[in-house]
């Protein structure tokens, strides 16, 4: 739902005064930018990342031992 004018004001005032929330919002923006940059680079460069057969075997063994 859309926030009312009073709710928007209260939220903005809180964000203006709360250092923890301000840091959180800043970090969210940073992560958003990083993830979109990564996505673009992967698509643009057609990177194909795979695990080696040895790494796959190690994962399989670990998963089997945890059952």
């Amino acid at each position: 739902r859309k926030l009312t004018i009073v709710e928007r004001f209260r939220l903005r005032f809180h964000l203006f005064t709360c250092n923890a929330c301000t840091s959180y919002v800043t970090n969210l923006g940073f992560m958003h930018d990083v993830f979109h940059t990564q996505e673009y680079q992967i698509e643009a460069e057609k990177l194909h990342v795979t695990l080696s057969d040895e790494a796959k075997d190690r994962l399989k063994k670990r998963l089997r031992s945890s059952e």
Side-chain angles (χ1 to χ4, degrees):
R1 77 174 171 88
K2 195 172 182 178
L3 296 178
T4 66
I5 292 173
V6 173
E7 290 171 326
R8 277 188 296 212
F9 174 77
R10 290 181 72 200
L11 178 62
R12 286 181 188 260
F13 182 74
H14 176 80
L15 290 175
F16 181 72
T17 59
C18 180
N19 290 334
C21 288
T22 301
S23 293
Y24 177 74
V25 170
T26 301
N27 289 336
L28 278 180
F30 173 74
M31 288 189 299
H32 179 268
D33 293 343
V34 167
F35 292 141
H36 279 282
T37 301
Q38 284 291 102
E39 181 181 30
Y40 173 75
Q41 287 177 347
I42 288 171
E43 288 178 7
E45 298 172 12
K46 302 290 186 205
L47 292 178
H48 184 68
V49 180
T50 60
L51 293 173
S52 67
D53 289 335
E54 184 180 297
K56 289 177 187 177
D57 288 340
R58 285 195 313 266
L59 283 171
K60 287 177 187 176
K61 287 178 186 176
R62 275 301 223 7
L63 289 170
R64 286 184 190 128
S65 69
S66 67
E67 292 176 346

